[in-house]
Amino acid sequence: MSRAQVLILPGWNSSGPEHWQSRLEAAHPDFVRVEQRDWAQPNLEDWAGTLEAYVARATGPVVLVAHSLACVTVAHWAGADESRVRAALLVAPADVERPDVPPELVGFAPVPLRPLPFPSVLVASRNDPYCSLERARTFAHAWGSRLEDAGQAGHINTASGHGEWPLGETLLKDLLNRCTETHAS
């Protein structure tokens, strides 16, 4: 089996040049960033459609690396028979049902609470201002994701000091290795 195509899925307003996703992409030129048409005014149908188009264009198996609102996009998009995606790393999901959610994100609610059709790791922080650890646990349980507690890591973005993020790279390498081992046998 060929190595999986890694798709980087930034959240609302994209990931700036110092964000861990951008650094990961820069370090791995074969990784592909999913470019949404409108980062500032996200639309669920558009974002899910764009994700679908990128997955459909991939020439082999796919691993998703999603942050924040992109995690919710993956949960909405993933169908029951999504065989092209081998795994997903879901980092700091946005709780779009919280009372203080920005109006731009309301269209992504409610968050689907059904199993994802591929293995996933959900990384959550104990002090994420956009999703409580309890809510992240609910998502992980519903999606069938392994929960990784990142401790006091904020929203796991540049503002919380996560330009370089070794844990993320380690988790992604582990997912890629497991995908290769699982499909090589």
Side-chain angles (χ1 to χ4, degrees), residues 6-20:
V6 175
L7 296 181
I8 304 286
L9 290 87
W12 185 32
N13 291 316
S14 193
S15 295
E18 297 304 313
H19 193 282
W20 64 268

Side-chain angles (χ1 to χ4, degrees), residues 3-177:
R3 187 165 173 90
Q5 171 66 69
V6 175
L7 296 181
I8 304 286
L9 290 87
W12 185 32
N13 291 316
S14 193
S15 295
E18 297 304 313
H19 193 282
W20 64 268
Q21 281 186 314
S22 299
R23 288 176 179 231
L24 192 62
E25 180 185 0
H28 301 275
D30 56 325
F31 290 9
V32 175
R33 178 182 292 246
V34 173
E35 291 289 348
Q36 296 294 347
R37 183 180 59 78
D38 190 341
W39 290 109
Q41 299 292 320
N43 173 283
L44 175 57
E45 186 175 312
D46 289 347
W47 278 39
T50 298
L51 172 55
E52 174 62 29
Y54 274 80
V55 170
R57 281 197 303 263
T59 57
V62 173
V63 170
L64 306 175
V65 179
H67 182 257
S68 192
L69 187 62
C71 298
V72 178
T73 303
V74 168
H76 277 286
W77 167 80
D81 183 34
E82 186 44 66
S83 59
R84 295 166 291 179
V85 175
R86 296 290 190 257
L89 179 60
L90 307 167
V91 181
D95 183 358
V96 294
E97 296 175 40
R98 67 185 196 279
D100 64 338
V101 70
E104 295 88 348
L105 309 187
V106 170
F108 286 75
V111 176
L113 297 176
R114 64 179 181 269
L116 297 176
F118 39 79
S120 58
V121 174
L122 188 152
V123 183
S125 166
R126 293 177 175 268
N127 63 337
D128 187 337
Y130 308 114
C131 185
S132 70
L133 184 59
E134 294 74 29
R135 187 74 164 137
R137 274 193 186 109
T138 298
F139 296 156
H141 179 74
W143 297 343
S145 304
R146 179 173 63 85
L147 179 65
E148 181 77 27
D149 183 342
Q152 302 290 326
H155 193 50
I156 312 176
N157 60 3
T158 309
S160 63
H162 294 88
E164 288 190 22
W165 187 42
L167 174 61
E169 187 132 12
T170 298
L171 291 169
L172 178 58
K173 283 179 185 175
D174 182 53
L175 273 177
L176 289 169
N177 287 337

